[in-house]
């Protein structure tokens, strides 16, 4: 309880800081620009509305992602990035020529939050600066184009988990965008602007690269904590599974434990395997409406599963999608083994007596492998042999899990 109160107190401090600093940036820029009082009041009204909308969006995103203990960290991270962006954009207007940091700042804001919130914040900065510094129509179009490009580049960086290609594109885009829009406004070619744009492009790359390790580290911690909370008994979907089908719940526990221990030995992503194994059977349910939305995928999306866990569920037994990762292949093998052992137990009404446990594991794994199910998963022969050895020697297939 004390930890929760500390988080809430910290969030209130961050919100207060966000409101105060953002208003100070706006008022400071307006005073330096000698903006008339009525114009300043209009800007303050617009700023107030946008701050409220941004805060509400952040709070909604925070509430929707209750499956993570790092919500406050992500919340504070975006506030810090946005405040820094406001200050940098304000200062950039006093630098000659056309240094426009909005491209790099939009990328950082999207990486630090969600595409919707990040791009909305970028467009808001464009709008306020355009009004405050009386940009031309071409100038406004240039900034909006930068925001759109920044949003797309941020999604590429998230998908590839690599900033370097995006940094190179930012370096190339900046002089090109500035040069083209400057020509559209002046109808005059000034090649010196292109050279200046290359210099400012380098500045944008530095602006992008310096905070990225901090954002990336925070994302990794958020991702790891989310995977941990997916297997926490307090997670709502897990509680629903337990009350709805004890058989599904117990099977998931067994697969999660065995596959997770095996992943640890193989050097795989243990937390991903434990989470994926626990919910793997959600991929069993068919799409009754034939609209492409399978119940497991829908449930996972509604509960904000990481994309990697959703992919594992969608690749259930390779029926609807090809098994594409070693983690998914490992989970599928362990799921098959436990399923066959359960069927054998139900048919023979006995535990490990009466049949050769090692022979059954060999047969199950050979059948799965020969079906070609793992051909595109990257699951190597060495992994296969290690998994087989682990399943034969170290797994208790009749371990009892008691539901409280």
């Amino acid at each position: 309880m004390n930890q929760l109160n500390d988080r809430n107190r910290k969030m209130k401090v961050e919100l207060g800081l966000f409101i105060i600093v953002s208003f100070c940036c706006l008022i400071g820029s307006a005073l330096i620009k000698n903006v008339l009082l009525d114009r300043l009041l209009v800007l303050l009204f617009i700023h107030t509305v946008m701050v409220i909308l941004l805060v509400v969006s952040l709070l909604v995103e925070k509430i929707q992602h209750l499956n993570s203990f790092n919500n406050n960290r992500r919340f504070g991270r975006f506030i810090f990035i946005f405040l820094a962006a406001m200050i940098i954009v304000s200062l950039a207007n006093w630098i000659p020529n056309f240094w426009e940091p909005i491209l790099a700042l939009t990328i950082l804001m999207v990486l630090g939050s969600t595409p919707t919130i990040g791009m909305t914040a970028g467009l808001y900065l464009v709008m306020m600066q355009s009004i405050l510094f009386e940009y031309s129509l071409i100038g406004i179009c240039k900034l909006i184009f930068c925001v759109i490009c920044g949003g797309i580049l941020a999604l590429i960086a998230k998908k590839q988990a690599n900033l370097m290609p995006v940094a190179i594109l930012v370096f190339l885009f900046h002089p090109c965008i500035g040069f083209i829009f400057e020509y559209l406004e002046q109808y005059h070619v000034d090649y010196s602007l292109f050279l200046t744009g290359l210099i400012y492009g380098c500045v944008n790359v530095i602006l992008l690269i310096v905070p990225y390790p901090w954002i990336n580290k925070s994302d990794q911690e958020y991702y790891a904590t989310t995977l941990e909370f997916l297997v926490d008994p307090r997670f709502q979907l897990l509680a629903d599974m337990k009350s709805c089908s004890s058989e599904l719940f117990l099977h998931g526990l067994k697969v999660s434990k065995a596959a997770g221990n095996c992943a640890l030995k193989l050097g795989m992503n243990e937390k991903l395997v434990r989470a994926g194994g626990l919910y793997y059977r959600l991929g069993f349910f068919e799409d009754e409406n034939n609209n492409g939305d399978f119940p497991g995928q829908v449930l996972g999306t509604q509960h904000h599963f990481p994309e990697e866990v959703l992919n594992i569920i969608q690749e259930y037994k390779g029926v609807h999608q090809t098994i594409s990762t070693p983690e998914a292949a490992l989970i599928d093998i362990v799921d098959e083994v436990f399923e066959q052992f359960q069927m054998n137990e139900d048919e023979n009404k006995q535990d490990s007596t009466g049949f050769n446990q090692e022979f059954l594991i060999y047969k199950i794994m050979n059948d799965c492998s020969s079906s070609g199910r793992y051909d595109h998963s990257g699951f190597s022969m060495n992994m296969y042999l290690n998994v087989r050895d682990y399943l034969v020697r170290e797994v208790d297939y009749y371990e009892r899990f008691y539901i409280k």
Side-chain angles (χ1 to χ4, degrees):
M1 183 62 69
N2 291 333
Q3 208 172 14
L4 181 61
N5 290 335
D6 290 340
R7 289 197 193 102
N8 291 332
R9 194 179 301 112
K10 183 179 178 182
M11 187 185 70
K12 292 176 182 178
V13 172
E14 289 168 342
L15 276 177
L17 181 66
F18 171 64
I19 294 171
I20 293 171
V21 175
S22 64
F23 273 95
C24 287
C25 285
L26 177 62
I27 295 172
S29 298
L31 291 176
I32 294 173
K33 191 65 178 176
N34 293 323
V35 174
L36 297 176
L37 180 60
D38 56 346
R39 192 182 184 89
L40 176 59
L41 291 175
V42 171
L43 289 172
L44 288 174
F45 173 77
I46 295 173
H47 182 71
T48 302
V49 172
M50 288 304 299
V51 165
I52 292 172
L53 291 176
L54 272 176
V55 170
V56 170
S57 299
L58 286 167
L59 290 174
V60 168
E61 198 260 348
K62 180 180 186 298
I63 292 170
Q64 287 179 339
H65 287 76
L66 288 177
N67 58 327
S68 169
F69 291 126
N70 273 339
N71 283 308
N72 292 70
R73 182 176 297 177
R74 283 164 59 90
F75 187 87
R77 181 181 68 180
F78 173 76
I79 287 178
F80 177 81
I81 294 173
F82 181 74
L83 290 178
M86 283 196 70
I87 296 171
I88 292 171
V89 168
S90 299
L91 294 175
N93 285 282
W94 308 106
I95 297 177
N97 294 323
F98 56 93
W99 179 44
E100 299 298 352
I102 195 66
L103 176 61
L105 293 175
T106 301
I107 294 174
L108 292 175
M109 287 190 290
V110 172
L111 290 176
S113 58
T114 65
T116 302
I117 293 176
M119 292 189 69
T120 301
L123 290 172
Y124 163 69
L125 291 176
V126 168
M127 180 185 68
M128 293 302 295
Q129 294 302 309
S130 299
I131 295 173
L132 190 59
F133 292 90
E134 300 179 349
Y135 286 179
S136 65
L137 178 60
I138 297 296
I140 296 172
C141 290
K142 177 178 67 174
L143 295 179
I144 292 175
F145 184 71
C146 287
V147 170
I148 295 172
C149 290
I152 296 172
L153 291 175
L155 293 178
I156 294 173
K158 276 189 175 183
K159 191 70 176 178
Q160 295 187 346
N162 184 5
L163 188 67
M164 192 53 62
V166 171
I168 294 172
L169 289 174
V170 168
F171 172 73
L172 297 175
F173 277 12
H174 189 275
C176 294
I177 292 172
F179 184 79
I180 290 171
F181 280 94
E182 191 73 17
Y183 173 77
L184 289 175
E185 187 165 15
Q186 303 292 338
Y187 291 102
H188 172 68
V189 178
D190 186 353
Y191 292 103
S192 64
L193 290 178
F194 191 84
L195 180 61
T196 306
L198 287 175
I199 297 172
Y200 288 143
C202 292
V203 177
N204 266 2
V205 170
I206 295 171
L207 180 64
L208 191 61
I209 290 177
V210 169
Y212 180 73
W214 168 62
I215 295 175
N216 189 47
K217 180 182 178 182
S218 180
D219 276 340
Q220 289 175 353
E221 292 173 350
Y222 172 79
Y223 172 71
T225 310
T226 300
L227 292 176
E228 289 175 1
F229 198 45
L230 287 181
V231 299
D232 192 293
R234 292 170 289 177
F235 187 53
Q236 185 59 47
L237 182 57
L238 192 58
D240 293 341
M241 285 174 56
K242 184 164 58 176
S243 61
C244 179
S245 172
S246 60
E247 182 180 352
L248 177 67
F249 176 71
L250 289 173
H251 179 83
L253 283 180
K254 292 178 180 180
V255 173
S256 176
K257 179 179 179 180
N261 292 341
C262 194
L264 185 61
K265 291 179 177 292
L266 293 174
M268 293 184 183
N269 188 335
E270 178 197 356
K271 293 179 180 178
L272 174 60
V273 171
R274 290 191 187 279
L278 186 57
Y279 298 99
Y280 190 56
R281 278 300 175 95
L282 292 180
F284 170 78
F285 301 104
E286 292 292 333
D287 176 21
E288 297 179 354
N289 299 323
N290 295 318
N291 57 5
D293 295 328
F294 294 91
Q297 178 184 353
V298 173
L299 282 171
T301 303
Q302 290 174 346
H303 289 80
H304 307 284
F305 279 20
E307 185 178 353
E308 291 85 351
V309 179
L310 282 176
N311 290 339
I312 289 173
I313 295 172
Q314 292 166 6
E315 295 170 3
Y316 178 76
K317 294 186 182 297
V319 175
H320 304 294
Q321 291 187 17
T322 304
I323 295 176
S324 60
T325 62
E327 287 82 4
L330 171 61
I331 292 169
D332 186 75
I333 289 172
V334 176
D335 177 79
E336 284 282 358
V337 170
F338 273 102
E339 181 181 19
Q340 292 296 326
F341 268 77
Q342 184 62 47
M343 290 173 59
N344 186 82
E345 184 179 8
D346 293 340
E347 290 173 2
N348 297 301
K349 304 298 181 183
Q350 58 189 4
D351 286 354
S352 58
T353 58
F355 69 95
N356 189 318
Q357 182 169 300
E358 183 174 346
F359 172 78
L360 182 58
I361 293 172
Y362 276 46
K363 182 179 184 303
I364 294 168
M365 293 189 64
N366 286 336
D367 289 344
C368 290
S369 179
S370 61
S371 68
R373 195 185 295 182
Y374 312 127
D375 289 352
H376 304 285
S377 66
F379 198 74
S380 67
M381 179 56 67
N382 185 52
M383 292 178 181
Y384 177 88
L385 295 175
N386 283 324
V387 169
R388 189 176 68 180
D389 182 67
Y390 174 79
L391 293 177
V392 168
R393 300 179 185 278
E394 300 188 41
V395 177
D396 179 6
Y397 293 94
Y398 302 102
E399 180 179 1
R400 302 303 175 186
F401 291 82
Y402 296 96
I403 306 177
K404 295 182 180 180

